[in-house]
Amino acid sequence: METDLNSQDRKDLDKFIKFFALKTVQVIVQARLGEKICTRSSSSPTGSDWFNLAIKDIPEVTHEAKKALAGQLPAVGRSMCVEISLKTSEGDSMELEIWCLEMNEKCDKEIKVSYTVYNRLSLLLKSLLAITRVTPAYRLSRKQGHEYVILYRIYFGEVQLNGLGEGFQTVRVGTVGTPVGTITLSCAYRINLAFMSTRQFERTPPIMGIIIDHFVDRPYPSSSPMHPCNYRTAGEDTGVIYPSVEDSQEVCTTSFSTSPPSQYKTRSRQILINSLHSISEPCRYSLGTSDQGWYNLLMVPGKEGGVPLASNQPVHGAQADQERLATCTPSDGTHCAATPSSSEDTETVSNSSEGRASPHDVLETIFVRKVGAFVNKPINQVTLTSLDIPFAMFAPKNLELEDTDPMVNPPDSPQTESPLQGSLHSDGSSGGSSGNTHDDFVMIDFKPAFSKDDILPMDLGTFYREFQNPPQLSSLSIDIGAQSMAEDLDSLPEKLAVHEKNVREFDAFVETLQ
Amino acid sequence: MNCRSEVLEVSVEGRQVEEAMLAVLHTVLLHRSTGKFHYKKEGTYSIGTVGTQDVDCDFIDFTYVRVSSEELDRALRKVDALRNSGGDGLGQMSLEFYQKKKSRWPFSDECIPWEVWTVKVHVVALATEQERQICREKVGEKLCEKIINIVEVMNRHEYLPKMPTQSEVDNVFDTGLRDVQPYLYKISFQITDALGTSVTTTMRRLIKDTLAL
């Protein structure tokens, strides 16, 4: 409904409404970015801050808003809506809230555009800043990341509240009367999620497989230049200078984690895709198997820009079948990472998880041994005949030992178990070699890295062996266990009596904890 | 002119008092602060820019927005009663916006309130950590409701002092801060479980107002 508004006032009002709409979208979307917003106050007018508020402009958001508006302004029956939705990493999405900027027919003809309307729009933006932090979606957006992200969509036209589910609630942010109608800003939000709360999403276990890290850089470009606002004090009627705003804004090349879904905003989907590309490599856990059937857990270190690991050690030996897994080290199921040519602290561990190879096959397969730290020799395929003892110069020059070390000179007998297995399951022998070739088990000296022989009666290897084969706990043996159980039961009443006497002490202690 | 009065009530645990109070105070002051006025010739003036900042509460699941002004934040935090949060009790804080009206000598300027926000705080003591956790969430939800109430009042667009001329700006606004300009305000407290304290506060205020010149 047109009023007696002069053309200048009409132009100004249209401009105010347009930039109010753009700033509204910025405030809403920025409040759902998932982080705290902070802008600086400036005592001197910068000339670029509409409504005297420091609200930064994210170019993509402005672009989307302008695209949605398509040169129109909110009017009766034509509302500008910002839809905030949640999308899980599995692809499910849910609308959380819809912010509506509407215009109705109720006009306030007496109001002054230049002064009152502008100040009230400023107040309304402040209210919007406050309200965007109190709806349930805010807390969800602060916790977005691995399991879900928050998206936005801007559309113009009729408000669509169907996606909010039943029983949604509305909150009115505020209204501003103008000579052409009353501007109303409100929010309709889903409440079902409020009861589910963020706990549901926190309890969701991490997605197995690829975990996507959605943290992206924050784009904060400079806003377009504007002229300072000059106001008249009350009672003066001379003309007022308004800021002239350039519509063009710088395009930001950085990417942005919230973007609208599916068919409406293909460009913004691109923004989401770009944002995914811009993030650092995720922390990725996967089980990989090498060609030879070695099972390894590859770990790619994550968020600090970790480097993907090289693949598992290629092991030569075509003789090794898929099922043939050699036991090489005492440790089970551990992970490791290795780069082929690294001379730093690396380990290659191949673990057996299944299958029991025949000794003969085991012996003929390739042993990939643990290599101690700071070893210069590359950890590549190792054949039985080319094994090197680490720190050979420190190793005792015991020819007998070396001769009986099956890793150097494997025994020919097919019934012989894997030499390391043999050493592991021995009862432990200290010092000296005991290559008793007549027995099934060959006793060898297990040489852990950095160890020296014959200095202490109990060397590292002995300790290691004993550690591997501890005696059974006496309490676990049946007779002793039964006896002690009976004794325990008998002594229970006495113990309870003692505890009851000390009840006060316990209560006092508990109170100090609270 | 009648003074507009709004009352809010909250129940909080002892250590939540300060944050709850600051959340309410800052939300109100966000709406009642403008940028600094810069007067020019011919009675025109320009207005500075107000920045905003999100503040996460430590003891409440709540985030509020405040004006980006360290001076203003310090001034609010200096209020001692915010920290007197021990034990059970019922306290009341009043945030009063007023205008000064010049009086002739020897009378001091008159302070005419035009809006008063009263926050009644009921402090509860909780025994277990689980109760505290529930309290964190519940108080957060309650504060959300209070913020919505505050915003509703603000957007009624009721009486606001007229924009003053340069000579009168100090009668309407607190021009002492460097970066923002809130309306003139004062904060007072009353703790009702100690009657003596409340009388002292009132007397102190009367004396201060009388002597202020």
Side-chain angles (χ1 to χ4, degrees):
Chain A
M1 180 192 300
E2 288 300 321
T3 63
D4 300 330
L5 213 56
N6 63 47
S7 63
Q8 181 61 44
D9 276 350
R10 183 63 208 241
K11 267 192 210 169
D12 295 336
L13 184 61
D14 287 346
K15 205 183 278 186
F16 293 171
I17 294 173
K18 176 187 168 187
F19 281 95
F20 178 76
L22 295 177
K23 288 294 182 181
T24 294
V25 174
Q26 290 287 349
V27 168
I28 293 167
V29 173
Q30 288 177 26
R32 298 291 176 261
L33 284 178
E35 56 183 32
K36 294 200 291 187
I37 303 295
C38 179
T39 57
R40 292 181 64 181
S41 300
S42 170
S43 61
S44 307
T46 59
S48 60
D49 294 318
W50 271 95
F51 308 105
N52 308 117
L53 283 174
I55 298 170
K56 288 179 175 154
D57 288 322
I58 299 173
E60 285 89 352
V61 177
T62 303
H63 180 85
E64 293 299 328
K66 283 181 178 173
K67 219 163 97 173
L69 287 172
Q72 295 177 314
L73 289 176
V76 177
R78 289 202 315 261
S79 308
M80 190 190 75
C81 301
V82 181
E83 176 191 296
I84 301 291
S85 57
L86 178 150
K87 188 170 182 180
T88 66
S89 54
E90 290 162 351
D92 298 323
S93 67
M94 182 195 319
E95 279 178 31
L96 298 178
E97 42 185 34
I98 296 180
W99 298 82
C100 305
L101 179 60
E102 299 169 293
M103 179 83 90
N104 67 28
E105 294 169 343
K106 188 178 170 190
C107 302
D108 186 345
K109 297 178 190 177
E110 308 298 322
I111 201 166
K112 283 188 188 171
V113 170
S114 60
Y115 167 72
T116 309
V117 171
Y118 191 87
N119 285 339
R120 287 186 181 179
L121 288 174
S122 176
L123 194 74
L124 187 53
L125 273 177
K126 290 175 183 172
S127 300
L128 183 64
L129 281 163
I131 295 287
T132 44
R133 274 67 174 171
V134 305
T135 54
Y138 180 72
R139 299 221 74 81
L140 280 175
S141 68
R142 288 293 298 271
K143 290 174 179 157
Q144 66 182 299
H146 294 293
E147 284 99 26
Y148 61 90
V149 289
I150 303 293
L151 310 176
Y152 76 94
R153 177 173 81 97
I154 308 170
Y155 62 91
F156 196 70
E158 278 195 29
V159 183
Q160 298 155 21
L161 298 175
N162 302 330
L164 292 177
E166 287 182 5
F168 62 86
Q169 288 194 351
T170 55
V171 59
R172 192 163 77 168
V173 183
T175 59
V176 174
T178 75
V180 300
T182 299
I183 296 170
T184 305
L185 187 53
S186 59
C187 173
Y189 59 92
R190 173 187 284 273
I191 58 166
N192 292 338
L193 206 56
F195 291 113
M196 281 157 58
S197 82
T198 55
R199 289 183 215 141
Q200 170 130 357
F201 290 95
E202 284 165 8
R203 277 202 213 118
T204 306
I207 309 294
M208 297 307 293
I210 296 176
I211 300 171
I212 295 174
D213 187 342
H214 267 282
F215 297 107
V216 293
D217 293 332
R218 295 285 152 237
Y220 285 125
S222 59
S223 52
S224 57
M226 287 169 61
H227 296 294
C229 295
N230 290 322
Y231 284 87
R232 300 268 168 204
T233 54
E236 300 208 19
D237 275 337
T238 51
V240 188
I241 303 168
Y242 290 105
S244 66
V245 180
E246 291 178 17
D247 286 339
S248 62
Q249 293 191 0
E250 292 173 22
V251 176
C252 180
T253 55
T254 54
S255 52
F256 178 62
S257 70
T258 63
S259 61
S262 70
Q263 71 276 15
Y264 288 93
K265 299 285 174 260
T266 53
R267 176 189 155 78
S268 300
R269 188 189 294 150
Q270 187 58 40
I271 292 169
L272 177 63
I273 294 165
N274 288 342
S275 75
L276 291 176
H277 287 172
S278 71
I279 58 179
S280 54
E281 265 315 292
C283 194
R284 195 182 303 147
Y285 292 88
S286 62
L287 284 173
T289 62
S290 69
D291 292 337
Q292 285 73 25
W294 302 99
Y295 288 90
N296 285 302
L297 187 67
L298 299 176
M299 186 164 71
V300 180
K303 295 174 188 177
E304 285 79 35
V307 177
L309 285 176
S311 58
N312 192 15
Q313 290 309 302
V315 178
H316 285 301
Q319 298 163 358
D321 293 335
Q322 288 277 338
E323 296 161 0
R324 303 279 156 67
L325 302 166
T327 56
C328 298
T329 66
S331 54
D332 286 334
T334 53
H335 56 276
C336 76
T339 52
S341 58
S342 165
S343 62
E344 294 179 346
D345 188 3
T346 56
E347 278 187 338
T348 305
V349 172
S350 322
N351 300 315
S352 68
S353 60
E354 63 182 28
R356 221 185 116 69
S358 66
H360 179 73
D361 288 337
V362 164
L363 290 172
E364 288 192 0
T365 52
I366 304 304
F367 287 90
V368 183
R369 291 201 310 155
K370 246 189 193 178
V371 179
F374 312 108
V375 173
N376 278 332
K377 296 192 191 294
I379 311 163
N380 43 18
Q381 43 282 8
V382 176
T383 61
L384 291 173
T385 54
S386 66
L387 277 175
D388 265 333
I389 301 171
F391 302 98
M393 57 186 289
F394 295 109
K397 296 184 175 72
N398 192 332
L399 294 173
E400 194 183 4
L401 175 69
E402 287 188 2
D403 285 344
T404 55
D405 189 348
M407 299 189 81
V408 175
N409 192 9
D412 294 331
S413 163
Q415 294 135 6
T416 313
E417 292 287 337
S418 155
L420 285 179
Q421 257 188 353
S423 72
L424 287 176
H425 291 293
S426 70
D427 288 332
S429 62
S430 60
S433 64
S434 51
N436 190 346
T437 52
H438 296 294
D439 294 338
D440 289 337
F441 293 94
V442 176
M443 308 291 285
I444 59 157
D445 262 346
F446 177 62
K447 288 200 186 301
F450 305 108
S451 74
K452 279 190 185 179
D453 257 340
D454 302 326
I455 293 177
L456 296 170
M458 171 71 84
D459 69 348
L460 185 61
T462 313
F463 167 76
Y464 206 61
R465 277 195 294 275
E466 290 191 354
F467 170 73
Q468 293 288 322
N469 301 295
Q472 198 181 27
L473 291 174
S474 58
S475 57
L476 290 179
S477 66
I478 298 170
D479 294 336
I480 298 171
Q483 256 181 357
S484 63
M485 179 87 79
E487 284 168 8
D488 284 342
L489 285 172
D490 289 337
S491 66
L492 262 180
E494 292 168 14
K495 286 182 185 170
L496 280 173
V498 168
H499 290 321
E500 274 179 16
K501 273 188 202 170
N502 298 331
V503 149
R504 280 187 197 170
E505 280 179 39
F506 291 134
D507 284 345
F509 173 69
V510 168
E511 277 189 18
T512 60
L513 293 175
Q514 287 180 351
Chain B
M1 175 201 63
N2 290 327
C3 172
R4 190 165 58 239
S5 176
E6 304 295 332
V7 179
L8 304 166
E9 288 193 43
V10 286
S11 287
V12 295
E13 197 211 355
R15 55 187 188 169
Q16 295 172 324
V17 173
E18 184 175 3
E19 285 180 338
M21 295 290 199
L22 283 171
V24 171
L25 287 174
H26 273 301
T27 302
V28 173
L29 280 165
L30 170 68
H31 290 81
R32 293 288 180 246
S33 300
T34 71
K36 296 284 288 182
F37 283 13
H38 297 273
Y39 286 93
K40 300 175 182 182
K41 294 182 244 183
E42 300 168 2
T44 61
Y45 61 94
S46 58
I47 307 179
T49 301
V50 173
T52 58
Q53 195 169 338
D54 288 339
V55 181
D56 288 336
C57 295
D58 293 325
F59 302 110
I60 312 173
D61 287 346
F62 186 69
T63 302
Y64 61 90
V65 181
R66 68 168 175 92
V67 170
S68 287
S69 168
E70 294 306 319
E71 283 180 279
L72 183 62
D73 190 44
R74 272 199 299 271
L76 295 183
R77 286 176 189 272
K78 264 188 202 168
V79 183
D80 282 338
L82 281 179
R83 295 193 209 111
N84 294 339
S85 53
D88 289 346
L90 185 64
Q92 186 170 298
M93 175 193 74
S94 292
L95 170 62
E96 180 186 297
F97 292 100
Y98 64 94
Q99 275 179 269
K100 274 192 205 166
K101 190 175 171 188
K102 297 279 187 196
S103 299
R104 291 179 193 169
W105 186 87
F107 301 105
S108 62
D109 290 341
E110 203 180 338
C111 294
I112 305 169
W114 52 270
E115 187 175 74
V116 177
W117 293 85
T118 304
V119 184
K120 291 186 178 170
V121 181
H122 183 217
V123 183
V124 296
L126 299 174
T128 67
E129 198 54 41
Q130 193 184 3
E131 285 178 9
R132 285 196 195 107
Q133 185 59 37
I134 295 171
C135 190
R136 272 184 78 102
E137 294 170 12
K138 287 228 158 100
V139 170
E141 288 166 17
K142 282 291 170 191
L143 281 177
C144 290
E145 290 174 22
K146 301 307 161 194
I147 301 303
I148 293 173
N149 293 344
I150 293 170
V151 161
E152 192 189 352
V153 170
M154 295 297 182
N155 279 274
R156 286 182 204 155
H157 303 301
E158 292 170 337
Y159 173 79
L160 280 179
K162 284 184 187 170
M163 285 299 139
T165 57
Q166 190 170 8
S167 56
E168 290 178 358
V169 68
D170 290 316
N171 294 337
V172 176
F173 287 102
D174 178 355
T175 54
L177 301 176
R178 274 178 310 173
D179 40 15
V180 293
Q181 193 172 284
Y183 283 100
L184 283 171
Y185 71 93
K186 59 177 115 173
I187 300 173
S188 57
F189 283 88
Q190 199 173 13
I191 299 171
T192 57
D193 61 351
L195 290 172
T197 312
S198 66
V199 170
T200 313
T201 313
T202 316
M203 285 307 301
R204 210 182 284 149
R205 197 165 23 128
L206 277 171
I207 292 165
K208 250 191 191 173
D209 287 347
T210 312
L211 292 175
L213 281 169

